[in-house]
């Protein structure tokens, strides 16, 4: 047998063995039985040979052999890498982590019953504005008008906030506005600790989804929740703090200014600083 053919055959046999196929069937070469007293010049007549039939009429039929049928693959080049032969599956690619959106956070919040505020609400006030805003404004909780409409800062405090935004030439639709708690506390009281604990994780997830350049905490409850500060707002307003890879600033709540009109200058001055910070 030609050496090249023998090498190729050997490679094929090893290929099948690697696939777990051990049994092979082969038919031996047909041979003529020896004839007694035959001389080198003796001639014998034999019928035409057919597939699997001995040339000599004296040859006994070869007993049938049982063998296992195998499904052979289509001819392939043995020099190809195993991966290209389909013998090994490539490792699945890692799933891409999907960034959470505001819609995802709102869907998870659902028809929230995580604290006692749900029993007295009309609407959950999740938030409103640009989902990719550079500036996020955070109050403490919805009031009566907000609870009625399901939108943040639409009552008297919201009207004052709109005026201040206009004075510093910041468009409301370009910012995002929300509150620490999403349901109205009875009588517009300050949110209690258990209510803040139940709702604030959704606030922090809103920050993560928006990734703003600056967070503005309006009022002491927002400043305590976001930054953990306990100092009076009139002492620390206008200061910029570090917050989880971004910045945060503290100012008075518009509702405080409605009760103390002379303090509107604090709110306006802080929003001038906010405008300068965003413009950097």
């Amino acid at each position: 047998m030609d050496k090249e053919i023998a090498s190729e055959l050997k490679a094929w046999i090893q290929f099948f063995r690697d696939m777990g196929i051990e049994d092979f069937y082969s038919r031996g070469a047909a041979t003529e039985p020896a004839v007694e007293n035959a001389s080198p010049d003796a001639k014998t007549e034999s019928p035409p040979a057919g597939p699997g039939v001995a040339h000599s009429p004296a040859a006994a039929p070869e007993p049938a052999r049982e063998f296992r049928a195998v499904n052979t693959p289509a001819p392939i080049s043995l020099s190809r890498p195993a991966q290209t032969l389909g013998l090994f599956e490539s490792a699945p690619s890692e799933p891409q982590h999907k960034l959470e959106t505001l819609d995802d956070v709102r869907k998870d919040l659902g028809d929230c019953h995580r604290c006692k505020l749900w029993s007295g609400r009309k609407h959950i006030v999740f938030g409103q504005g640009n989902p990719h805003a550079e500036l996020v404004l955070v109050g403490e909780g919805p009031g009566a008008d907000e609870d009625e409409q399901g939108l943040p800062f639409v009552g008297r405090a919201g009207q004052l906030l709109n005026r201040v935004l206009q004075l510093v030439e910041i468009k409301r639709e370009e910012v995002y506005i929300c509150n620490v708690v999403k349901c109205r506390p009875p009588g517009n009281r300050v949110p209690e600790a258990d209510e803040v604990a139940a709702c604030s994780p959704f606030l922090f997830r809103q920050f993560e989804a928006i990734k703003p350049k600056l967070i503005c905490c309006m009022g002491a409850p927002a400043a305590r929740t976001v930054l953990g500060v306990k100092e009076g707002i009139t002492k620390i307003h206008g200061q910029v703090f570090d917050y989880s890879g971004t910045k945060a600033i503290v100012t008075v709540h518009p509702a405080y200014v409605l009760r103390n009109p002379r303090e509107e200058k604090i709110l306006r001055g802080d929003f001038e600083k906010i405008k300068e910070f965003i413009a950097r």
Side-chain angles (χ1 to χ4, degrees):
M1 180 182 297
D2 185 88
K3 290 184 178 180
E4 184 177 348
I5 295 176
S7 177
E8 186 78 9
L9 180 59
K10 182 179 180 181
W12 268 96
I13 292 172
Q14 186 61 46
F15 168 78
F16 283 117
R17 284 176 174 167
D18 290 342
M19 295 182 67
I21 301 171
E22 297 291 343
D23 294 339
F24 297 92
Y25 167 74
S26 64
R27 184 185 298 276
T31 60
E32 293 183 356
V35 180
E36 292 185 6
N37 301 323
S39 67
D41 296 329
K43 295 183 180 180
T44 58
E45 296 295 332
S46 61
V53 179
H55 292 282
S56 172
E62 184 176 354
R65 297 182 183 181
E66 293 185 0
F67 63 95
R68 184 177 64 185
V70 297
N71 294 323
T72 60
I76 56 175
S77 170
L78 296 177
S79 62
R80 295 168 62 191
Q83 288 84 352
T84 65
L85 302 181
L87 303 180
F88 303 102
E89 295 291 338
S90 59
S93 58
E94 292 293 330
Q96 295 296 320
H97 176 65
K98 181 179 178 296
L99 296 178
E100 191 173 48
T101 66
L102 287 173
D103 288 340
D104 295 330
V105 180
R106 180 62 185 90
K107 183 178 180 180
D108 190 28
L109 179 63
D111 184 26
C112 186
H113 288 189
R114 293 173 177 83
C115 78
K116 56 186 177 293
L117 291 180
W118 74 271
S119 61
R121 74 174 180 233
K122 289 185 178 180
H123 293 96
I124 291 176
V125 184
F126 181 70
Q128 181 187 40
N130 182 355
H132 307 291
E134 290 189 312
L135 174 62
V136 172
L137 306 178
V138 185
E140 61 186 64
D145 293 309
E146 289 75 17
D147 182 47
E148 187 69 34
Q149 299 182 41
L151 298 172
F153 284 85
V154 291
R156 292 180 60 221
Q159 294 170 10
L160 174 58
L161 177 62
N162 291 344
R163 186 168 75 248
V164 172
L165 289 172
Q166 290 175 356
L167 289 173
V168 298
E169 298 179 339
I170 296 177
K171 296 180 180 179
R172 175 168 171 142
E173 59 268 23
E174 293 178 350
V175 307
Y176 191 85
I177 306 176
C178 55
N179 287 293
V180 172
V181 296
K182 312 304 183 189
C183 299
R184 181 193 179 193
N188 294 350
R189 63 164 171 76
V190 174
E192 296 177 355
D194 62 315
E195 297 160 357
V196 172
C199 212
S200 58
F202 294 96
L203 173 67
F204 300 143
R205 288 167 63 184
Q206 285 175 298
F207 294 161
E208 285 294 319
I210 299 169
K211 299 189 183 306
K213 186 175 182 179
L214 183 67
I215 298 168
C216 177
C217 301
M218 299 184 295
R224 282 196 300 268
T225 301
V226 176
L227 298 172
V229 297
K230 298 180 180 179
E231 293 84 357
I233 298 299
T234 55
K235 294 181 180 180
I236 62 172
H237 74 89
Q239 296 182 28
V240 177
F241 298 82
D242 290 321
Y243 171 81
S244 188
T246 187
K247 300 294 182 180
I249 193 171
V250 175
T251 191
V252 293
H253 196 286
Y256 170 80
V257 176
L258 290 176
R259 298 190 298 270
N260 303 274
R262 293 182 180 180
E263 305 296 353
E264 184 174 341
K265 62 181 182 293
I266 295 178
L267 189 64
R268 290 182 58 179
D270 290 342
F271 269 86
E272 288 286 356
K273 294 179 182 178
I274 290 171
K275 179 184 177 181
E276 292 175 2
F277 185 92
I278 296 298
R280 294 177 188 173

